[in-house]
Amino acid sequence: MERIFTLKNLLPQLKLAFFPCPENEFRPLFLQRRFLAYYLLLFLVLRLIVFPFYFLFPSTSFFAEVVSSTLIDLTNQNRQAKGLAILKENPVLTQAAYAKAQDMLQNDYFSHVSPSGIPPWQWFKKSGYNYQVAGENLAIGFLESGEVEKAWNDSPSHRQNLLNPSYKEIGIAVVKGDFQGQETTLVVQFFGTPVARPLTTPTPQPSPLISPSPLASSPAVMAGETQKSPTPKPLESIISFGVTQYDPLTSRLVSLFLLFLIGALIFNLFVSLAQGIKSRDLVLNTTFFILLFILSSFLDKQLIISLIPHNVIINGL
């Protein structure tokens, strides 16, 4: 009985707080001006608190979010949108791309051909990848995977590689290191179609008497993101969360809340008009939060990253 009594008292309070009625003069408590001011303040705090992370730590290694798997996903999404077959990741191509990236960092160059005259196709051969056709895209200095993919798509020569129907496989290496005295992120993207192997009937082999060494079957480390990363320090973990997870999480939450608030304001506006109540301030508040929602939609990570000064270069062959 006590629980029922509590609910009976609670329902009128909820009605006054959230539903327009004569008891609250058709203005719910949560839509009163002082509460709208609190919402605005909370919005500013949630959306702007991430700015220091981007501008104070743009070049740290844990900030860089260029990830090979993400680049492959973005490439295949573009290909599917154009009706092309997706590219299959080949670990041999990834190994070749990783070797090329390491060579560029060690010899301090950014080009398809090394200062000693090694062309990109030599890395394919060194890794044992026999190709019919092959291609290469390079990028350096970028801070995020989407930024790299956009730069490649905006370049006709790079886009031609991304959307080439002749390619069947892909391998990407993302390597962080010192380049010309600055810590940066280097991306090597290899495309290829292997030479078709003739079909042969396998010859049965006798079972070996000695078990193979477990090291022989261990997968090789091909790219930076497959290496076991060291345990981050507490400060690095906080900053990493700030620049990678905080922004998309708060963007969704803020967008959902603003949509709910706009819907409530519009509903209350219609109720007030039906009651013959002039609600000029309600119209202004509704318009303001609609504009705030539009602004919030554009105030995302990509925009912030584009405002950070950083030197980016791409190269395609």
Side-chain angles (χ1 to χ4, degrees), residues 70-90:
T70 303
L71 288 172
I72 292 175
D73 289 341
L74 292 173
T75 298
N76 282 329
Q77 288 173 20
N78 289 335
R79 290 177 67 88
Q80 286 181 310
K82 299 293 183 180
L84 300 172
I86 63 173
L87 300 174
K88 180 181 178 181
E89 184 177 9
N90 187 310

Side-chain angles (χ1 to χ4, degrees), residues 279-298:
S279 304
R280 182 180 178 182
D281 62 329
L282 196 56
V283 173
L284 293 176
N285 291 336
T286 304
T287 303
F288 172 79
F289 279 97
I290 290 176
L291 293 176
L292 188 62
F293 174 76
I294 296 174
L295 174 63
S296 177
S297 299
F298 286 99

Side-chain angles (χ1 to χ4, degrees), residues 55-83:
F55 286 97
L56 295 179
F57 308 100
S59 59
T60 54
S61 60
F62 50 84
F63 176 89
E65 273 297 298
V66 181
V67 181
S68 62
S69 59
T70 303
L71 288 172
I72 292 175
D73 289 341
L74 292 173
T75 298
N76 282 329
Q77 288 173 20
N78 289 335
R79 290 177 67 88
Q80 286 181 310
K82 299 293 183 180

Side-chain angles (χ1 to χ4, degrees), residues 246-299:
Y246 178 86
D247 186 73
L249 177 63
T250 54
S251 293
R252 292 187 183 94
L253 292 176
V254 167
S255 296
L256 288 174
F257 178 74
L258 286 177
L259 284 174
F260 169 75
L261 187 60
I262 291 170
L265 286 167
I266 293 175
F267 174 74
N268 279 266
L269 181 60
F270 280 124
V271 171
S272 297
L273 292 176
Q275 296 294 326
I277 301 173
K278 295 181 179 180
S279 304
R280 182 180 178 182
D281 62 329
L282 196 56
V283 173
L284 293 176
N285 291 336
T286 304
T287 303
F288 172 79
F289 279 97
I290 290 176
L291 293 176
L292 188 62
F293 174 76
I294 296 174
L295 174 63
S296 177
S297 299
F298 286 99
L299 191 64

Side-chain angles (χ1 to χ4, degrees), residues 31-215:
L31 291 181
Q32 290 182 5
R33 180 161 295 180
R34 61 190 178 97
F35 283 97
L36 294 178
Y38 295 153
Y39 304 148
L40 176 60
L41 180 61
L42 180 62
F43 167 82
L44 294 175
V45 171
L46 289 177
R47 297 300 285 131
L48 300 182
I49 197 173
V50 73
F51 270 74
F53 289 107
Y54 291 117
F55 286 97
L56 295 179
F57 308 100
S59 59
T60 54
S61 60
F62 50 84
F63 176 89
E65 273 297 298
V66 181
V67 181
S68 62
S69 59
T70 303
L71 288 172
I72 292 175
D73 289 341
L74 292 173
T75 298
N76 282 329
Q77 288 173 20
N78 289 335
R79 290 177 67 88
Q80 286 181 310
K82 299 293 183 180
L84 300 172
I86 63 173
L87 300 174
K88 180 181 178 181
E89 184 177 9
N90 187 310
V92 179
L93 274 182
T94 303
Q95 183 181 26
Y98 183 67
K100 169 66 181 289
Q102 290 288 8
D103 187 69
M104 283 197 289
L105 286 178
Q106 291 171 7
N107 295 288
D108 221 25
Y109 72 95
F110 182 76
S111 175
H112 295 294
V113 181
S114 72
S116 60
I118 301 177
W121 327 123
Q122 191 66 28
W123 301 105
F124 287 72
K125 296 177 182 178
K126 285 185 176 182
S127 297
Y129 187 87
N130 296 320
Y131 60 87
Q132 298 179 32
V133 289
E136 177 186 63
N137 280 344
L138 302 176
I140 191 170
F142 290 86
L143 300 178
E144 206 266 339
S145 301
E147 192 185 19
V148 179
E149 186 70 14
K150 183 179 185 304
W152 280 339
N153 272 290
D154 290 342
S155 167
S157 60
H158 294 80
R159 186 170 61 250
Q160 185 177 1
N161 270 340
L162 295 172
L163 301 178
N164 192 326
S166 299
Y167 297 144
K168 305 298 181 184
E169 297 177 340
I170 189 173
I172 299 180
V174 178
V175 178
K176 303 180 184 74
D178 182 88
F179 181 78
Q180 297 182 356
Q182 292 185 349
E183 185 76 13
T184 189
T185 301
L186 180 66
V187 184
V188 177
Q189 184 181 51
F190 277 168
F191 304 91
T193 297
V195 175
R197 296 179 179 178
L199 295 176
T200 58
T201 303
T203 303
Q205 298 291 331
S207 300
L209 297 178
I210 302 176
S211 301
S213 169
L215 293 178

Side-chain angles (χ1 to χ4, degrees), residues 10-30:
L10 181 62
L11 289 176
Q13 297 298 324
L14 292 176
K15 181 180 178 181
L16 291 174
F18 297 102
F19 191 80
C21 57
E23 289 81 357
N24 56 25
E25 298 180 353
F26 298 96
R27 184 63 58 87
L29 180 64
F30 90 107

